[in-house]
Amino acid sequence: MSTRPTSSASDGAATEDRRIAALRRAARDKHQQAVQRAEAGIRRLVKEGDEINFRAVARAAGVSLDFLYAHSDLRKRIETLRGQQRADDRPPQQEPSADDSTVIHTLTEALRRERTTHRERVQELEQRLAAAHGEILRLQRQLREQGVAT
């Protein structure tokens, strides 16, 4: 007979349970480390004044875009920071100053003068054109009276 020790089914199940528990702990630790790297990446981007978006955070933290989108807390934080940056990038709206008003008034007056000058010039040219048409008609009549075909 064999002197080999026999193992029961319960010993195998216990070993498998320990392996599963160890794998779960490792996965949880890996996930937590990725969250910490993402948070550190966000802090670094904010500190350096770099643009905050999902790609920049993924690059800075060494995590995937899918990870960032799937993690709701990180996703909300990135979206909030991105929105704040966009709001900060907008130039502040300024009320027109007295100098602006003077410039606008001066330019408007110059435009008004130019329009008046152009209207007068167009009227003069239309009158000259009408006079030229009249002269052409007069010359055509003279040619017909003299019997020259036009």
Side-chain angles (χ1 to χ4, degrees):
M1 294 217 182
S2 171
T3 58
R4 189 172 72 172
T6 60
S7 64
S8 67
S10 64
D11 288 341
T15 304
E16 188 174 327
D17 288 343
R18 283 193 305 272
R19 287 181 185 161
I20 291 171
L23 287 173
R24 285 187 177 144
R25 277 193 307 276
R28 186 177 55 245
D29 291 346
K30 184 177 178 182
H31 177 82
Q32 190 58 37
Q33 289 171 357
V35 169
Q36 290 172 351
R37 284 195 319 268
E39 289 173 349
I42 291 170
R43 282 192 302 273
R44 187 171 62 241
L45 291 171
V46 169
K47 183 179 179 181
E48 294 174 1
D50 291 338
E51 183 178 0
I52 306 288
N53 59 48
F54 286 94
R55 289 196 185 281
V57 173
R59 248 189 325 270
V63 297
S64 70
L65 287 171
D66 290 337
F67 175 80
L68 294 175
Y69 282 112
H71 196 282
S72 62
D73 292 339
L74 289 172
R75 182 179 185 153
K76 288 176 187 174
R77 187 164 174 214
I78 293 168
E79 288 172 345
T80 301
L81 290 169
R82 182 178 60 188
Q84 288 173 352
Q85 277 187 333
R86 288 184 179 160
D88 292 344
D89 289 344
R90 289 186 208 125
Q93 293 184 350
Q94 298 175 346
E95 295 294 321
S97 66
D99 293 337
D100 292 341
S101 180
T102 303
V103 169
I104 291 170
H105 179 70
T106 303
L107 291 173
T108 303
E109 201 51 46
L111 183 60
R112 188 174 295 123
R113 281 192 307 270
E114 285 184 31
R115 283 182 179 163
T116 302
T117 302
H118 285 282
R119 268 192 231 109
E120 291 169 355
R121 181 74 176 139
V122 167
Q123 284 176 347
E124 177 190 344
L125 290 172
E126 286 174 344
Q127 288 173 354
R128 292 173 77 183
L129 181 60
H133 280 292
E135 181 66 17
I136 290 171
L137 287 174
R138 188 185 66 75
L139 291 172
Q140 284 176 340
R141 282 188 201 125
Q142 278 183 351
L143 286 173
R144 266 184 270 150
E145 288 173 3
Q146 295 177 3
V148 178
T150 55

